[in-house]
Amino acid sequence: MTATPALLRNPLPTREALAEARVLVVGDAMLDRYWYGAVDRISPEAPVPVVRVTREEERIGAAANVAYNIVTLGAQASLLTVVGEDEASHKLEDLVAATGIVPHFGRDPQMRTTVKLRVIGRQQQLLRLDFETVPETETLASQSALFDELMPLHAAVLFSDYGKGGLAHVAQMIEAARAAGKAVLIDPKGSDYSRYRGATLITPNRAELQQVVGSWRNEDELRTKAQRLRSELALEGLLVTRSEEGMTLYDAHGEAHVAAQAREVFDVTGAGDTVIATMAALVAAGASLRDAMPMANKAGAIVVGKFGTATASYEELFEGH
């Protein structure tokens, strides 16, 4: 396979280049709700804590959080997603627009916008409630048409797959984006990666990769399985995020590894979002996959030191770099 600019050895982009970089994020967006409260007693009705809610917070999640990570770094992000025609969808759109992300929301009146409600007491998550449905075929078809309009205006396309049904046509969108010379990065979901064929990069974590290729006993076996999968799917790169083992990029030149950064872990929520968002922003600004990876690793380490779905700023990422 002929190398594209995503694999060439480019220095990290300047702040000005990053500001010009445009990434189209496509995928399942959701609204994250947090209810914080005091826990003083156990319920007389069942052996569960009673949470007296004292504060509520709403944040953008999933694909919306990926896009938020991109704009926080100083690049530009558009978000193409499908939501319902309900209170949660309008709240989500307002929150997205306030961040500087350009929203393109397809609305399905039959769909319920995905909401994850977390109940927090004594600094711990006590319960999570999920509200979700799958979008209709007609809405997804209109999303694909809008994708064809938006894609040429962006340097990179990032597909954020949370398995909620919003990427039913991802294979066709990948093919169109690659034919137009765009870098395509994917945060995958499920055990069938054939739908991601031809992408520039996919970023499974360790557990997700095991679902697809099976377990491995040592580094040699992991290397063999990862490179085989990369070859079968005609990918330029396969980036495996490995928690305390850091992350490894497998490409046509072999592999590159960066160790995990020692940091007190407060919350791993959204760390994968940050990693792929950083990769996409830097690649869109002209960086190679290998040059972008250490910065994505650093960004992931920054957000695990924060509570909930969080982001890493340009200053945090490049300070002292």
Side-chain angles (χ1 to χ4, degrees):
M1 179 182 295
T2 303
T4 67
L7 275 177
L8 301 178
R9 299 293 296 172
N10 297 326
L12 288 172
T14 63
R15 189 164 193 162
E16 292 73 23
L18 198 56
E20 294 297 318
R22 301 186 70 185
V23 180
L24 175 60
V25 179
V26 187
D28 304 307
M30 61 186 70
L31 181 64
D32 285 331
R33 284 189 161 132
Y34 297 85
W35 289 358
Y36 299 89
V39 179
D40 302 318
R41 62 193 178 96
I42 300 298
S43 171
E45 304 167 354
V48 295
V50 175
V51 182
R52 180 169 49 83
V53 176
T54 56
R55 181 167 64 92
E56 300 178 25
E57 185 178 349
E58 293 175 314
R59 301 181 185 181
I60 56 178
N65 184 55
V66 174
Y68 189 25
N69 273 270
I70 291 169
V71 298
T72 304
L73 282 175
Q76 301 177 52
S78 302
L79 174 62
L80 178 59
T81 190
V82 178
V83 295
E85 185 64 80
D86 51 18
E87 177 271 337
S89 73
H90 295 288
K91 183 63 180 178
L92 178 60
E93 187 167 23
D94 288 344
L95 290 173
V96 164
T99 64
I101 300 165
V102 180
H104 299 276
F105 279 28
R107 295 191 180 276
D108 180 351
Q110 307 303 315
M111 176 186 168
R112 186 170 192 172
T113 302
T114 301
V115 175
K116 290 186 178 181
L117 169 60
R118 298 171 177 88
V119 181
I120 314 294
R122 292 180 178 172
Q123 306 302 313
Q124 293 184 343
Q125 185 178 145
L126 303 177
L127 180 68
R128 194 182 90 182
L129 304 173
D130 290 4
F131 308 86
E132 60 188 50
T133 54
V134 177
E136 296 290 328
T137 304
E138 293 79 6
T139 310
L140 292 174
S142 64
Q143 182 199 44
S144 296
L146 184 54
F147 174 83
D148 290 338
E149 294 180 26
L150 295 173
M151 179 266 292
L153 306 176
H154 298 77
V157 180
L158 191 166
F159 293 101
S160 182
D161 195 347
Y162 272 78
K164 307 302 181 186
L167 288 178
H169 300 154
V170 67
Q172 298 96 306
M173 290 190 280
I174 292 170
E175 184 178 358
R178 295 300 279 147
K182 308 299 181 181
V184 174
L185 299 88
I186 302 173
D187 188 358
K189 198 75 171 181
S191 57
D192 180 15
Y193 282 10
S194 62
R195 57 205 237 108
Y196 305 135
R197 182 179 306 278
T200 306
L201 180 76
I202 62 173
T203 62
N205 61 34
R206 189 167 47 192
E208 289 168 338
L209 184 63
Q210 284 179 341
Q211 276 189 301
V212 179
V213 303
S215 59
W216 49 85
R217 291 166 295 182
N218 51 48
E219 285 295 316
D220 286 342
E221 193 170 353
L222 169 59
R223 181 181 304 111
T224 299
K225 291 189 172 189
Q227 289 286 22
R228 182 185 300 129
L229 179 65
R230 187 188 67 80
S231 178
E232 289 173 352
L233 297 180
L235 307 171
E236 290 189 25
L238 174 65
L239 178 61
V240 184
T241 55
R242 306 171 62 182
S243 189
E244 72 280 355
E245 296 176 355
M247 58 180 64
T248 308
L249 174 68
Y250 300 92
D251 60 25
H253 303 285
E255 67 184 80
H257 181 80
V258 288
Q261 296 197 5
R263 184 179 292 267
E264 183 179 356
V265 176
F266 189 64
D267 192 341
V268 298
T269 305
D273 292 349
T274 300
V275 168
I276 193 167
T278 305
M279 292 292 297
L282 294 177
V283 167
S288 70
L289 294 178
R290 288 201 174 203
D291 284 337
M293 180 180 64
M295 303 312 295
N297 184 57
K298 181 179 179 181
I302 291 168
V303 301
V304 298
K306 302 178 181 181
F307 181 75
T309 49
T311 60
S313 69
Y314 181 93
E315 289 74 19
E316 288 174 309
L317 189 59
F318 290 98
E319 183 179 357
H321 180 74

PDB file of all heavy atoms in Angstrom, residues 243-259:
ATOM      1  N   SER A 243      -4.115   0.464  28.414  1.00  0.00           N
ATOM      2  CA  SER A 243      -4.238   0.845  29.823  1.00  0.00           C
ATOM      3  C   SER A 243      -2.864   1.053  30.439  1.00  0.00           C
ATOM      4  O   SER A 243      -2.071   1.859  29.948  1.00  0.00           O
ATOM      5  CB  SER A 243      -5.047  -0.230  30.562  1.00  0.00           C
ATOM      6  OG  SER A 243      -5.375   0.186  31.854  1.00  0.00           O
ATOM      7  N   GLU A 244      -2.541   0.302  31.509  1.00  0.00           N
ATOM      8  CA  GLU A 244      -1.273   0.505  32.227  1.00  0.00           C
ATOM      9  C   GLU A 244      -0.064   0.098  31.386  1.00  0.00           C
ATOM     10  O   GLU A 244       1.080   0.392  31.743  1.00  0.00           O
ATOM     11  CB  GLU A 244      -1.274  -0.267  33.549  1.00  0.00           C
ATOM     12  CG  GLU A 244      -1.159  -1.785  33.428  1.00  0.00           C
ATOM     13  CD  GLU A 244      -2.461  -2.468  33.077  1.00  0.00           C
ATOM     14  OE1 GLU A 244      -3.506  -1.777  33.005  1.00  0.00           O
ATOM     15  OE2 GLU A 244      -2.441  -3.703  32.873  1.00  0.00           O
ATOM     16  N   GLU A 245      -0.302  -0.575  30.236  1.00  0.00           N
ATOM     17  CA  GLU A 245       0.795  -0.976  29.355  1.00  0.00           C
ATOM     18  C   GLU A 245       1.053   0.058  28.260  1.00  0.00           C
ATOM     19  O   GLU A 245       1.856  -0.195  27.354  1.00  0.00           O
ATOM     20  CB  GLU A 245       0.486  -2.335  28.715  1.00  0.00           C
ATOM     21  CG  GLU A 245       0.396  -3.470  29.720  1.00  0.00           C
ATOM     22  CD  GLU A 245      -0.009  -4.785  29.065  1.00  0.00           C
ATOM     23  OE1 GLU A 245      -0.311  -4.785  27.845  1.00  0.00           O
ATOM     24  OE2 GLU A 245      -0.038  -5.807  29.770  1.00  0.00           O
ATOM     25  N   GLY A 246       0.370   1.185  28.319  1.00  0.00           N
ATOM     26  CA  GLY A 246       0.583   2.218  27.313  1.00  0.00           C
ATOM     27  C   GLY A 246      -0.199   1.947  26.050  1.00  0.00           C
ATOM     28  O   GLY A 246      -1.318   1.452  26.084  1.00  0.00           O
ATOM     29  N   MET A 247       0.389   2.258  24.888  1.00  0.00           N
ATOM     30  CA  MET A 247      -0.290   1.997  23.618  1.00  0.00           C
ATOM     31  C   MET A 247       0.724   1.638  22.548  1.00  0.00           C
ATOM     32  O   MET A 247       1.886   2.049  22.604  1.00  0.00           O
ATOM     33  CB  MET A 247      -1.144   3.188  23.186  1.00  0.00           C
ATOM     34  CG  MET A 247      -0.420   4.490  23.013  1.00  0.00           C
ATOM     35  SD  MET A 247      -1.553   5.845  22.493  1.00  0.00           S
ATOM     36  CE  MET A 247      -2.654   5.988  23.893  1.00  0.00           C
ATOM     37  N   THR A 248       0.254   0.832  21.591  1.00  0.00           N
ATOM     38  CA  THR A 248       1.126   0.352  20.524  1.00  0.00           C
ATOM     39  C   THR A 248       0.465   0.594  19.175  1.00  0.00           C
ATOM     40  O   THR A 248      -0.704   0.271  18.985  1.00  0.00           O
ATOM     41  CB  THR A 248       1.420  -1.155  20.671  1.00  0.00           C
ATOM     42  OG1 THR A 248       1.899  -1.422  21.989  1.00  0.00           O
ATOM     43  CG2 THR A 248       2.466  -1.602  19.662  1.00  0.00           C
ATOM     44  N   LEU A 249       1.222   1.171  18.258  1.00  0.00           N
ATOM     45  CA  LEU A 249       0.761   1.405  16.890  1.00  0.00           C
ATOM     46  C   LEU A 249       1.409   0.388  15.974  1.00  0.00           C
ATOM     47  O   LEU A 249       2.639   0.266  15.930  1.00  0.00           O
ATOM     48  CB  LEU A 249       1.139   2.819  16.444  1.00  0.00           C
ATOM     49  CG  LEU A 249       0.852   3.155  14.976  1.00  0.00           C
ATOM     50  CD1 LEU A 249      -0.646   3.203  14.708  1.00  0.00           C
ATOM     51  CD2 LEU A 249       1.509   4.484  14.585  1.00  0.00           C
ATOM     52  N   TYR A 250       0.585  -0.345  15.243  1.00  0.00           N
ATOM     53  CA  TYR A 250       1.061  -1.298  14.241  1.00  0.00           C
ATOM     54  C   TYR A 250       0.784  -0.708  12.864  1.00  0.00           C
ATOM     55  O   TYR A 250      -0.348  -0.332  12.555  1.00  0.00           O
ATOM     56  CB  TYR A 250       0.344  -2.646  14.397  1.00  0.00           C
ATOM     57  CG  TYR A 250       0.559  -3.271  15.755  1.00  0.00           C
ATOM     58  CD1 TYR A 250      -0.339  -3.037  16.798  1.00  0.00           C
ATOM     59  CD2 TYR A 250       1.677  -4.065  16.019  1.00  0.00           C
ATOM     60  CE1 TYR A 250      -0.142  -3.580  18.048  1.00  0.00           C
ATOM     61  CE2 TYR A 250       1.886  -4.623  17.278  1.00  0.00           C
ATOM     62  CZ  TYR A 250       0.970  -4.368  18.283  1.00  0.00           C
ATOM     63  OH  TYR A 250       1.180  -4.911  19.534  1.00  0.00           O
ATOM     64  N   ASP A 251       1.836  -0.618  12.033  1.00  0.00           N
ATOM     65  CA  ASP A 251       1.670  -0.058  10.699  1.00  0.00           C
ATOM     66  C   ASP A 251       2.555  -0.812   9.712  1.00  0.00           C
ATOM     67  O   ASP A 251       3.153  -1.841  10.066  1.00  0.00           O
ATOM     68  CB  ASP A 251       1.955   1.444  10.688  1.00  0.00           C
ATOM     69  CG  ASP A 251       3.371   1.798  11.142  1.00  0.00           C
ATOM     70  OD1 ASP A 251       4.276   0.935  11.012  1.00  0.00           O
ATOM     71  OD2 ASP A 251       3.584   2.929  11.614  1.00  0.00           O
ATOM     72  N   ALA A 252       2.639  -0.306   8.503  1.00  0.00           N
ATOM     73  CA  ALA A 252       3.402  -0.992   7.460  1.00  0.00           C
ATOM     74  C   ALA A 252       4.892  -1.025   7.764  1.00  0.00           C
ATOM     75  O   ALA A 252       5.632  -1.839   7.196  1.00  0.00           O
ATOM     76  CB  ALA A 252       3.144  -0.317   6.110  1.00  0.00           C
ATOM     77  N   HIS A 253       5.355  -0.165   8.646  1.00  0.00           N
ATOM     78  CA  HIS A 253       6.773  -0.095   8.991  1.00  0.00           C
ATOM     79  C   HIS A 253       7.115  -0.950  10.207  1.00  0.00           C
ATOM     80  O   HIS A 253       8.265  -0.995  10.632  1.00  0.00           O
ATOM     81  CB  HIS A 253       7.178   1.357   9.255  1.00  0.00           C
ATOM     82  CG  HIS A 253       6.888   2.264   8.099  1.00  0.00           C
ATOM     83  ND1 HIS A 253       7.643   2.289   6.954  1.00  0.00           N
ATOM     84  CD2 HIS A 253       5.899   3.169   7.902  1.00  0.00           C
ATOM     85  CE1 HIS A 253       7.137   3.176   6.105  1.00  0.00           C
ATOM     86  NE2 HIS A 253       6.089   3.721   6.659  1.00  0.00           N
ATOM     87  N   GLY A 254       6.110  -1.598  10.806  1.00  0.00           N
ATOM     88  CA  GLY A 254       6.357  -2.403  11.993  1.00  0.00           C
ATOM     89  C   GLY A 254       5.469  -1.954  13.131  1.00  0.00           C
ATOM     90  O   GLY A 254       4.242  -1.959  13.011  1.00  0.00           O
ATOM     91  N   GLU A 255       6.081  -1.528  14.221  1.00  0.00           N
ATOM     92  CA  GLU A 255       5.292  -1.080  15.361  1.00  0.00           C
ATOM     93  C   GLU A 255       6.028   0.006  16.121  1.00  0.00           C
ATOM     94  O   GLU A 255       7.256   0.135  16.033  1.00  0.00           O
ATOM     95  CB  GLU A 255       4.985  -2.248  16.303  1.00  0.00           C
ATOM     96  CG  GLU A 255       6.209  -2.809  17.002  1.00  0.00           C
ATOM     97  CD  GLU A 255       5.863  -4.034  17.839  1.00  0.00           C
ATOM     98  OE1 GLU A 255       5.732  -5.131  17.259  1.00  0.00           O
ATOM     99  OE2 GLU A 255       5.736  -3.880  19.072  1.00  0.00           O
ATOM    100  N   ALA A 256       5.276   0.800  16.846  1.00  0.00           N
ATOM    101  CA  ALA A 256       5.824   1.830  17.724  1.00  0.00           C
ATOM    102  C   ALA A 256       5.050   1.763  19.028  1.00  0.00           C
ATOM    103  O   ALA A 256       3.835   1.558  19.025  1.00  0.00           O
ATOM    104  CB  ALA A 256       5.690   3.213  17.088  1.00  0.00           C
ATOM    105  N   HIS A 257       5.741   1.908  20.126  1.00  0.00           N
ATOM    106  CA  HIS A 257       5.099   1.766  21.436  1.00  0.00           C
ATOM    107  C   HIS A 257       5.449   2.960  22.320  1.00  0.00           C
ATOM    108  O   HIS A 257       6.571   3.468  22.283  1.00  0.00           O
ATOM    109  CB  HIS A 257       5.563   0.473  22.121  1.00  0.00           C
ATOM    110  CG  HIS A 257       4.933   0.243  23.453  1.00  0.00           C
ATOM    111  ND1 HIS A 257       3.660  -0.268  23.600  1.00  0.00           N
ATOM    112  CD2 HIS A 257       5.392   0.484  24.711  1.00  0.00           C
ATOM    113  CE1 HIS A 257       3.371  -0.353  24.888  1.00  0.00           C
ATOM    114  NE2 HIS A 257       4.396   0.101  25.580  1.00  0.00           N
ATOM    115  N   VAL A 258       4.472   3.411  23.089  1.00  0.00           N
ATOM    116  CA  VAL A 258       4.735   4.408  24.125  1.00  0.00           C
ATOM    117  C   VAL A 258       4.198   3.870  25.451  1.00  0.00           C
ATOM    118  O   VAL A 258       3.127   3.261  25.492  1.00  0.00           O
ATOM    119  CB  VAL A 258       4.097   5.780  23.811  1.00  0.00           C
ATOM    120  CG1 VAL A 258       4.836   6.471  22.683  1.00  0.00           C
ATOM    121  CG2 VAL A 258       2.626   5.648  23.472  1.00  0.00           C
ATOM    122  N   ALA A 259       4.971   4.066  26.503  1.00  0.00           N
ATOM    123  CA  ALA A 259       4.585   3.567  27.821  1.00  0.00           C
ATOM    124  C   ALA A 259       3.518   4.462  28.436  1.00  0.00           C
ATOM    125  O   ALA A 259       3.401   5.648  28.092  1.00  0.00           O
ATOM    126  CB  ALA A 259       5.814   3.513  28.735  1.00  0.00           C
TER     127      ALA A 259
END
